[in-house]
Amino acid sequence: MPDRQRISWADAMKGLSAVMVMLYHVSYQPEVKTMAYILCLPAFFFVAGLFSDTEMSPAAFFKRKSLRLLIPYITFGFLCWLLWFAIRLRHGNEAEDTKWWIPLCGMISGKVELLVQNRPLWFLCCMVSTEWIYYVLCRAPYKIMRWCGACVIAILGCVLGIYEKTGVWEMTAAMLMLPVYMAGAENRTFFRERVNKCSLRLLVMVLILSTIGVFTGYFL
């Protein structure tokens, strides 16, 4: 299937995920926020995995995959920092406010707790880290080796999450999302080229399994 051809069900999953993200940020009910969280993340990473391409050289991979995330990350991060800094000068208290350079350090390190000017930017950091972890992992010649490696990485991510160690560029979240991303990446040919023959039950099963994984990691 040519890359320029749209995949309707993939677009629908991304659209539903976007709605869940908005619901997560506007809802005041903890139960609603939790369900929105565990539904939107698996769909986003699963669909992203469908369009992964690990046959490129590292330089080409960075240019074609990472830059498309880093450009909006840097642009929105810096513009939001300018706005945050202007508001801080106008209404802030130097003794109480976050130092002006902290958000800039947050952009470099990709740590969500430092991205005070725009915390949702963590997602772009997480996606970049996930893509690179899988890019390295897929150098393994056999699928069973890749899946075993992904499981070990995800378990390590759970352990780090328990101790609230996020790591640079949201590495812990990327480790937890790796199996979901890999589920799409390892089966992208099936899902993309045989999309018209895909069983709805199979798609639902993938979402249920990935949701269980995120649900478990989220509460751990």
Side-chain angles (χ1 to χ4, degrees):
M1 176 177 291
D3 287 339
R4 64 177 179 272
Q5 184 174 345
R6 307 296 302 184
I7 302 177
S8 58
W9 64 264
D11 288 338
M13 286 181 65
K14 289 187 287 186
L16 177 62
S17 300
V19 172
M20 291 293 104
V21 170
M22 290 187 289
L23 182 62
Y24 173 81
H25 286 287
V26 301
S27 176
Y28 291 98
Q29 297 295 326
E31 296 81 4
V32 175
K33 292 173 72 72
T34 299
M35 289 306 300
Y37 184 84
I38 64 178
L39 286 174
C40 69
L41 282 183
F44 265 126
F45 281 86
F46 177 75
V47 174
L50 293 176
F51 300 95
S52 64
D53 187 353
T54 57
E55 301 301 324
M56 297 179 285
S57 65
F61 185 82
F62 176 80
K63 182 178 179 180
R64 293 182 57 184
K65 300 291 288 184
S66 298
L67 277 183
R68 66 184 175 82
L69 298 173
L70 292 176
I71 290 175
Y73 172 76
I74 294 172
T75 302
F76 283 106
F78 186 72
L79 291 177
C80 290
W81 176 81
L82 288 177
L83 179 61
W84 172 86
F85 186 67
I87 295 174
R88 175 180 178 275
L89 288 178
R90 178 69 176 176
H91 302 288
N93 185 330
E94 180 68 26
E96 297 176 359
D97 285 355
T98 303
K99 300 300 182 181
W100 65 268
W101 46 268
I102 294 295
L104 297 179
C105 292
M107 289 185 61
I108 296 174
S109 64
K111 296 178 74 67
V112 65
E113 61 268 22
L114 302 181
L115 291 170
V116 297
Q117 78 276 35
N118 192 343
R119 294 191 188 277
L121 289 174
W122 76 270
F123 181 79
L124 297 179
C125 300
C126 184
M127 183 61 73
V128 171
S129 297
T130 304
E131 289 182 340
W132 275 101
I133 293 174
Y134 178 69
Y135 181 82
V136 174
L137 186 64
C138 73
R139 303 300 104 182
Y142 301 107
K143 180 177 288 190
I144 185 64
M145 296 173 62
R146 296 193 291 271
W147 274 109
C148 288
C151 291
V152 171
I153 291 172
I155 292 173
L156 179 59
C158 284
V159 174
L160 294 175
I162 291 174
Y163 292 99
E164 299 182 352
K165 304 295 184 180
T166 59
V168 297
W169 281 82
E170 289 300 311
M171 191 63 67
T172 298
M175 295 165 72
L176 287 170
M177 290 295 104
L178 180 62
V180 182
Y181 180 89
M182 192 169 172
E186 293 288 309
N187 300 283
R188 58 183 178 270
T189 301
F190 172 79
F191 282 110
R192 294 182 63 184
E193 295 184 359
R194 304 181 185 179
V195 63
N196 292 328
K197 298 180 181 179
C198 281
S199 167
L200 179 61
R201 252 181 281 176
L202 178 60
L203 298 179
V204 171
M205 182 180 69
V206 170
L207 280 179
I208 291 175
L209 291 176
S210 59
T211 300
I212 291 174
V214 176
F215 185 86
T216 304
Y218 176 79
F219 281 101
L220 283 176

